[in-house]
C-alpha cells in the first residue's frame, strides 16, 4: 500500500536492493566470524524485499508465550493484558545494517536538498512524536516507549555513558518524515538521546506501521557523543531493531494502521531482507497492551 518506500529514493530501487544484498553478505560474513558454525545462512538474496511486514518464519515462534533469551525466536501474548518477548542478553556486537533510504542523517537528499535532521534545533529529545522547528505535525498511533541499553562488548558488557543514539522510524501509515509523500515537510519520529550513567536512553514514540517489503522495525545509529551526532560520517554503528510478531499483529488489529495488518501477514523474518540471516541480538523485549501502550527494551552491544 505504501510503494513509495521502494520507489522514491533518489538513487532508485536497484541501488537499494544492491546495497541490501551487499549488506546481508557482509553481515553473514561477520556472523560466521563471531559465531563459527552456529551462524545462520541465507537461502539466497534474490528474494529480498518481495513481501510485506511481520509474520513468523523459521526464526520466529509467533504464537508462543515464552522464549529463550539467547535464541532467534520471537514470542509473546497479544492479549489486552499485555505482551512480552525475550531478547538476547548475551554480550554480543549487534550487526551492522543499512540505514535504508530515509535516514535523515545527511547521507542523502530529499526534495532536492541534503536531508539532515541531526542539525535541527531540538533534535536532542526523548519524545519524538511531534515535529520540531518550523514543522508542526504530530505522529499518532499506539504509544511505544523504546529503552536502549548501550554496552561495550570489549569490557564485559559495561554500560557506555555519554554516547548518543539517533533513532528514527516510519509512522502508522508506513511513511517516513522528510521523504514520503504527504509528510515531506515533517520531521517527526526522529530524535537523539545521550546515554545516562547506566548506558540507557529512553524514547517516547508510537509503534511503527508496517509497509510492504519489511517487517516492523526501527532504525538507529550510535555516536560517540551528542556533539558528534551531527552527520552520518561520525557514526560508530548503524543497526535496526525488530518486534515480536504477535505484538505487531495486536497493534495492527486496532485503528489507525491502515494497510499494516495485511502487510504484516504477508511477510516473515525469513523473507525480510535485513533479518533473514538472524536477529537474536535485534529482537526487542516488549510488554504492554494497545490501551496502556507498550515498552520495548533492547541491549545493544558495540565494540569500543
Amino acid at each position: 500500500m505504501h510503494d513509495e518506500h521502494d520507489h522514491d529514493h533518489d538513487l532508485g530501487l536497484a541501488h537499494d536492493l544492491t546495497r541490501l544484498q551487499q549488506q546481508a553478505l557482509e553481515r553473514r560474513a561477520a556472523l560466521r566470524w563471531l559465531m563459527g558454525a552456529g551462524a545462520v545462512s541465507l537461502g539466497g538474496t534474490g528474494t529480498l524485499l518481495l513481501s510485506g511486514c511481520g509474520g513468523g518464519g523459521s526464526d520466529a515462534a509467533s504464537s508462543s508465550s515464552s522464549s529463550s533469551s539467547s535464541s532467534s525466536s520471537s514470542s509473546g501474548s497479544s492479549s489486552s493484558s499485555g505482551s512480552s518477548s525475550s531478547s538476547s542478553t548475551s554480550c554480543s556486537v549487534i550487526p551492522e545494517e543499512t540505514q535504508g533510504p530515509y535516514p535523515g542523517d545527511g547521507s542523502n537528499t530529499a526534495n532536492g536538498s541534503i536531508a539532515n535532521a541531526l542539525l535541527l534545533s531540538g533534535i536532542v529529545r526523548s519524545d519524538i512524536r511531534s515535529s520540531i522547528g518550523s514543522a508542526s505535525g504530530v505522529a499518532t498511533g499506539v504509544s511505544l516507549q523504546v529503552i536502549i541499553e548501550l554496552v561495550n562488548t570489549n569490557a564485559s558488557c559495561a554500560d557506555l555513558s555519554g554516547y548518543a543514539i539517533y533513532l528514527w522510524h516510519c509512522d502508522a501509515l508506513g511513511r517516513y518524515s522528510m521523504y514520503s509523500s504527504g509528510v515531506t515537510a515533517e520531521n517527526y519520529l526522529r530524535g537523539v538521546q545521550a546515554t545516562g550513567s547506566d548506558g540507557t536512553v529512553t524514547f517516547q514514540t508510537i509503534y511503527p506501521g508496517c509497509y510492504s517489503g519489511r517487517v516492523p522495525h526501527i532504525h538507529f545509529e550510535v555516536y560517540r557523543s551528542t556533539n558528534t551526532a551531527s552527520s552520518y560520517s561520525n557514526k560508530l554503528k548503524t543497526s535496526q531493531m525488530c518486534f515480536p510478531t504477535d505484538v505487531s499483529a495486536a497493534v495492527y488489529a486496532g485503528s489507525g494502521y491502515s494497510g499494516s495488518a495485511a502487510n504484516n501477514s504477508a511477510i516473515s523474518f525469513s523473507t525480510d531482507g535485513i533479518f533473514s540471516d538472524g536477529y537474536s541480538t535485534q529482537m526487542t523485549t516488549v510488554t504492554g497492551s494497545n490501551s496502556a501502550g507498550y515498552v520495548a527494551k533492547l541491549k545493544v552491544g558495540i565494540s569500543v
Side-chain angles (χ1 to χ4, degrees):
M1 182 170 184
H2 305 289
D3 291 336
E4 72 267 22
H5 293 277
D6 294 329
H7 297 288
D8 69 354
H9 180 31
D10 292 328
L11 297 180
L13 175 61
H15 176 272
D16 293 339
L17 289 176
T18 299
R19 183 166 59 180
L20 285 174
Q21 291 168 349
Q22 291 173 341
Q23 185 63 56
L25 291 173
E26 292 172 0
R27 191 171 73 164
R28 288 203 307 276
L31 286 171
R32 292 191 185 100
W33 183 81
L34 289 169
M35 303 169 62
V40 182
S41 63
L42 273 171
T45 56
T47 59
L48 298 184
L49 291 176
L50 297 179
S51 311
C53 248
S58 59
D59 276 336
S62 60
S63 61
S64 173
S65 61
S66 64
S67 69
S68 168
S69 62
S70 60
S71 71
S72 292
S73 64
S74 68
S75 65
S77 167
S78 57
S79 67
S80 60
S81 61
S83 303
S84 65
S85 174
S86 293
S87 63
S88 174
T89 56
S90 61
C91 190
S92 302
V93 174
I94 197 165
E96 180 76 13
E97 304 287 11
T98 176
Q99 73 267 43
Y102 316 109
D105 61 1
S107 61
N108 64 12
T109 62
N111 305 308
S113 301
I114 296 295
N116 192 352
L118 296 173
L119 296 178
L120 291 171
S121 176
I123 193 64
V124 179
R125 57 187 181 148
S126 178
D127 192 332
I128 63 174
R129 290 174 292 184
S130 62
S131 290
I132 53 179
S134 60
S136 59
V138 177
T140 60
V142 173
S143 175
L144 175 68
Q145 187 179 74
V146 177
I147 302 174
I148 298 174
E149 180 186 4
L150 188 66
V151 299
N152 185 3
T153 60
N154 281 344
S156 302
C157 277
D159 292 324
L160 289 170
S161 64
Y163 283 68
I165 294 179
Y166 167 45
L167 182 143
W168 75 96
H169 63 86
C170 70
D171 64 15
L173 298 182
R175 304 172 302 181
Y176 283 87
S177 66
M178 303 175 69
Y179 295 86
S180 299
S181 177
V183 292
T184 55
E186 304 297 344
N187 50 55
Y188 56 50
L189 305 181
R190 300 178 184 274
V192 175
Q193 278 282 284
T195 58
S197 59
D198 59 355
T200 66
V201 294
T202 299
F203 291 95
Q204 182 62 52
T205 185
I206 63 166
Y207 202 92
C210 182
Y211 56 85
S212 179
R214 289 298 315 277
V215 297
H217 62 283
I218 287 179
H219 301 260
F220 63 92
E221 292 174 344
V222 180
Y223 291 82
R224 182 62 187 83
S225 67
T226 55
N227 288 334
T228 63
S230 58
S231 169
Y232 74 100
S233 59
N234 298 327
K235 66 184 179 180
L236 303 177
K237 172 72 70 173
T238 304
S239 196
Q240 299 179 27
M241 64 181 73
C242 54
F243 302 89
T245 58
D246 61 329
V247 175
S248 295
V251 171
Y252 302 149
S255 61
Y257 286 84
S258 177
S260 287
N263 291 333
N264 186 48
S265 63
I267 197 173
S268 68
F269 282 101
S270 63
T271 57
D272 181 80
I274 297 300
F275 300 119
S276 57
D277 57 352
Y279 51 90
S280 63
T281 60
Q282 296 164 284
M283 175 59 72
T284 55
T285 297
V286 180
T287 57
S289 65
N290 284 12
S291 58
Y294 292 93
V295 177
K297 297 181 179 181
L298 183 68
K299 179 179 288 187
V300 172
I302 63 172
S303 176
V304 293

